[in-house]
Structures are given as structure tokens and as C-alpha cells.
Amino acid sequence: MTLLSRKADYALLILSYLYQNKSGGTARAIAEQFGLSRSFVANILKELCQNGFVASHRGVKGGYALSRDAAGVSLAELLETVEDGFRLTVCNTVHADGAEPCSHSSTCTVKGPMAGVYQRLMGVLRDVTLAELFDPQSPPPALHALPLLAGSCSPTSPVEPFPAQAVGT
């Protein structure tokens, strides 16, 4: 299971390419750089344009370039846009008609705790900018703020080795 879709992965690759190539790039160049489908790259670029992340330029020297400073764009903002509402579980979704998205919603014992995990995860993703992800000179994003399972694992608690098992038991 992955948390990000292929579309979100590709959007990050595309934006990282444009971040590294300040003069911009074409869908063809980006697709070739990463070995991606040119039509899928073009579709993602179109969506990124429509949502204000990149700008397109027509003509002989046309292509795409970042339209916003990567330091001002959070990973959460990008994922919520590209994923049409980034969700951890189906119960984080609300239908327009008010219907519950899950048939177990009224009896689910983990719905509330998972909503809390989702809020904490989104808080971390809001604190990570695209510039932090794309700049090889910057330190890694501040993911130390992700104690989703606080108390269950800590750097000071000893790690118990798995017990040795005899072969054939």
C-alpha cells in the first residue's frame, strides 16, 4: 500500500524538475528525464497549470515553469489539489448529500482516532514545503514532528531482538 497515488508521485517529479530547471521545461523533456508517459505528464502539467502551480508558455521557446515560489507551497496543499482531497481513510470524506461514506461509520471504534491521526499527518504535511523536498542543499524536511504513535516507539527504549528459531520448527 502506498499513501500517494502515481499521479501525486509524478506531480512531485514534474515540480522538482521545474524547480531544478529555472528556465522551465517541456512535457517531452520531463517525460524523458524520468522515463514517464508523455501524455500522462502533459495531463498532470495541464492540471498543475489550472491550479496555479505552473505556468505555460507557447511558442518556439515554450514550455512550463513554476508560477509560485516552492517555499510557499506546502506538500499538503499540493496533495489536496492533485488527489482531489487527500484522505487517509474513507471516513475522512464527507459526501455532498451528507451520507456516510462507510457502512460501519455508526459502529466504528477507530473512526475518531483515525481522524486524529489524519489531522496530525496533515499538520506535518502543511509544515513541509516543496522547496524543502526539492533543494538538495537543505536539510531533510522536519518529519520529526510525526509522532503518530507517540509512546509506542521511542529512541530511548531498547529494541528487543526477535527470538531465534530452530530450523524446521
Side-chain angles (χ1 to χ4, degrees):
M1 177 192 88
T2 60
L3 202 52
L4 300 182
S5 68
R6 183 179 306 165
K7 182 178 170 184
D9 285 340
Y10 288 6
L12 284 167
L13 285 175
I14 290 165
L15 292 171
S16 72
Y17 179 94
L18 296 174
Y19 180 84
Q20 301 299 328
N21 297 280
K22 303 296 183 200
S23 61
T26 63
R28 177 184 301 208
I30 295 168
E32 288 174 0
Q33 170 75 30
F34 299 112
L36 305 174
S37 158
R38 187 170 58 170
S39 61
F40 198 29
V41 168
N43 286 337
I44 294 170
L45 279 164
K46 180 180 176 184
E47 185 174 338
L48 291 171
C49 266
Q50 291 170 341
N51 288 295
F53 293 99
V54 300
S56 64
H57 307 283
R58 296 181 183 259
V60 175
K61 295 190 180 202
Y64 299 88
L66 291 179
S67 62
R68 296 175 55 192
D69 181 14
V73 179
S74 73
L75 184 53
E77 179 185 357
L78 175 69
L79 294 178
E80 287 175 329
T81 301
V82 171
E83 297 284 353
D84 297 323
F86 182 69
R87 299 289 172 245
L88 185 59
T89 63
V90 295
C91 58
N92 292 127
T93 307
V94 178
H95 290 291
D97 63 2
E100 291 287 340
C102 176
S103 61
H104 304 289
S105 189
S106 63
T107 60
C108 182
T109 59
V110 295
K111 180 180 177 179
M114 287 305 291
V117 170
Y118 170 76
Q119 290 302 320
R120 292 164 74 182
L121 176 60
M122 290 308 292
V124 170
L125 295 176
R126 281 185 206 95
D127 288 341
V128 177
T129 68
L130 296 185
E132 288 177 296
L133 292 175
F134 303 154
D135 188 356
Q137 303 303 318
S138 71
L143 296 180
H144 64 283
L146 191 58
L148 293 178
L149 302 173
S152 65
C153 295
S154 70
T156 57
S157 63
V159 176
E160 295 293 324
F162 289 106
Q165 291 184 350
V167 176
T169 59

